[in-house]
């Protein structure tokens, strides 16, 4: 079955498969996409724990698989250090950053605009420059309120498939994989963070919502930076909630 036709009941898969079955399924999704898209398949590595797992899974499928990371001027020092270590380990991981001037403290006055400029725009550059036809993400439907409606395989931009190979994993299973396969992760997790972003917009949180510490105290609390909700190829927008 071509990968583009795969649509199953995500919630059933979340609770119906065990950890080992989920790992096999994720590998198979990446393997099929790699066979179909070859070098056009690129991992969007956010350098969070989920992306680190996806990056590791992708490398098990083929060490040739490329990736990109988006960084901003506001990333915590430890995240930047971790990113540099990841790039040193895997030079096929390219870093994109928007250094244009923006209003002071835009993250406080208009976080959506700030994320659009510093995160979404460089993602568009990465897709364009690396000729991406299938981007692979670490998105999971159990992460929080904004992530429940995604599919494992989506095409929100025409000509750009999006693969979410660990969509059905629980947070516990991500840490299980990290422990079992000795995957390097950002040291900030050891300080209590559960979801990592830019320093002014990320706090340590407790409670059931994994992303509750993101943009805390703003209307964007627990929300999205926009790379999963905005068009990456604006001229070919199919199905975005802008
Ligand atoms: S997470 Fe905060 S600082 Fe980073 S781009 Fe978004 S609004 Fe700006």
């Amino acid at each position: 079955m071509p990968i583009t036709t795969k649509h199953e009941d995500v919630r059933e898969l979340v609770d119906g498969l065990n950890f080992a079955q989920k790992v096999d399924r994720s590998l198979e999704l990446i393997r099929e996409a790699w066979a179909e898209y070859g070098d056009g398949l690129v991992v969007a590595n956010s350098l969070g724990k989920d992306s680190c797992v996806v990056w590791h899974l992708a490398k098990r499928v083929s060490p040739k698989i490329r990736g990109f990371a988006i960084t901003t001027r506001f990333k915590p020092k430890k995240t930047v250090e971790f990113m540099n270590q990841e790039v040193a380990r895997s030079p096929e991981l390219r870093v994109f950053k928007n250094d244009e001037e923006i209003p002071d403290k835009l993250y406080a006055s208009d976080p959506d605009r700030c994320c659009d400029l510093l995160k979404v725009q460089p993602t568009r550059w990465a897709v364009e420059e690396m000729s991406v036809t299938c981007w692979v993400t670490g998105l999971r439907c159990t992460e929080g309120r904004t992530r429940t409606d995604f599919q494992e395989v989506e095409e929100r931009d025409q000509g750009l498939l999006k693969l979410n190979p660990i969509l059905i994993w629980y947070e516990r299973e991500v840490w299980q994989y990290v422990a079992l396969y000795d995957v390097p992760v950002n040291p900030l997790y050891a300080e209590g963070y559960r979801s990592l972003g830019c320093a002014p917009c990320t706090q340590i949180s407790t409670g059931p919502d994994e992303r509750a510490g993101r943009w805390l105290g703003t209307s964007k609390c627990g929300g999205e930076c926009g790379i999963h909700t905005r068009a990456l190829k604006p001229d070919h927008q199919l199905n975005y909630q802008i």
Side-chain angles (χ1 to χ4, degrees):
M1 187 198 301
I3 194 160
T4 43
T5 64
K6 282 203 164 133
H7 282 290
E8 293 181 54
D9 187 326
V10 168
R11 280 314 311 185
E12 267 182 30
L13 293 170
V14 167
D15 290 316
L17 299 186
N18 65 37
F19 170 72
Q21 289 169 324
K22 289 184 183 182
V23 172
D24 286 346
R25 184 179 177 89
S26 303
L27 285 168
E28 192 51 32
L29 282 168
I30 299 170
R31 205 172 282 128
E32 280 181 37
W34 174 241
E36 200 167 327
Y37 291 88
D39 211 32
L41 178 143
V42 176
V43 175
N45 187 342
S46 75
L47 303 163
K49 64 190 188 309
D50 312 288
S51 285
C52 290
V53 165
V54 169
W55 186 238
H56 190 275
L57 288 164
K59 291 298 171 183
R60 286 172 67 183
V61 171
S62 170
K64 290 187 190 157
I65 291 179
R66 300 175 300 155
F68 66 82
I70 306 300
T71 193
T72 77
R73 66 202 76 182
F74 298 118
K75 288 287 181 183
K77 189 164 169 274
K78 285 185 180 172
T79 298
V80 174
E81 284 167 5
F82 177 67
M83 178 182 77
N84 292 337
Q85 289 160 8
E86 285 290 273
V87 172
R89 275 189 283 268
S90 308
E92 67 280 11
L93 181 61
R94 286 184 58 187
V95 175
F96 290 81
K97 184 179 181 208
N98 184 358
D99 281 324
E100 78 178 74
E101 229 177 273
I102 61 170
D104 193 31
K105 296 198 174 156
L106 186 60
Y107 53 78
S109 58
D110 191 348
D112 282 328
R113 178 79 183 131
C114 188
C115 278
D116 198 37
L117 287 167
L118 301 189
K119 291 188 167 181
V120 181
Q121 187 55 41
T123 306
R124 293 188 181 120
W125 294 337
V127 166
E128 178 73 24
E129 276 187 48
M130 296 180 80
S131 304
V132 180
T133 50
C134 173
W135 67 304
V136 186
T137 86
L139 193 142
R140 289 186 297 105
C141 67
T142 59
E143 270 178 285
R145 61 178 174 81
T146 58
R147 301 213 158 170
T148 54
D149 293 332
F150 290 92
Q151 295 291 319
E152 288 172 314
V153 182
E154 305 182 323
E155 189 180 7
R156 295 189 178 214
D157 289 275
Q158 201 168 37
L160 178 65
L161 199 83
K162 181 179 179 191
L163 185 68
N164 305 312
I166 64 164
L167 185 77
I168 60 172
W169 291 34
Y170 281 116
E171 182 183 23
R172 165 184 58 79
E173 292 164 327
V174 171
W175 288 117
Q176 214 169 330
Y177 190 94
V178 166
L180 288 168
Y181 292 90
D182 214 7
V183 179
V185 291
N186 191 320
L188 284 172
Y189 287 115
E191 296 179 17
Y193 291 93
R194 291 171 70 195
S195 178
L196 299 175
C198 296
C201 306
T202 308
Q203 293 184 39
I204 294 173
S205 69
T206 56
D209 190 338
E210 204 177 320
R211 291 173 62 80
R214 306 289 294 275
W215 301 284
L216 203 62
T218 75
S219 58
K220 203 173 162 71
C221 181
E224 295 291 327
C225 69
I227 71 164
H228 296 298
T229 52
R230 292 184 188 273
L232 297 180
K233 292 178 142 192
D235 296 342
H236 304 286
Q237 178 186 323
L238 280 183
N239 183 26
Y240 275 88
Q241 318 136 18
I242 299 186

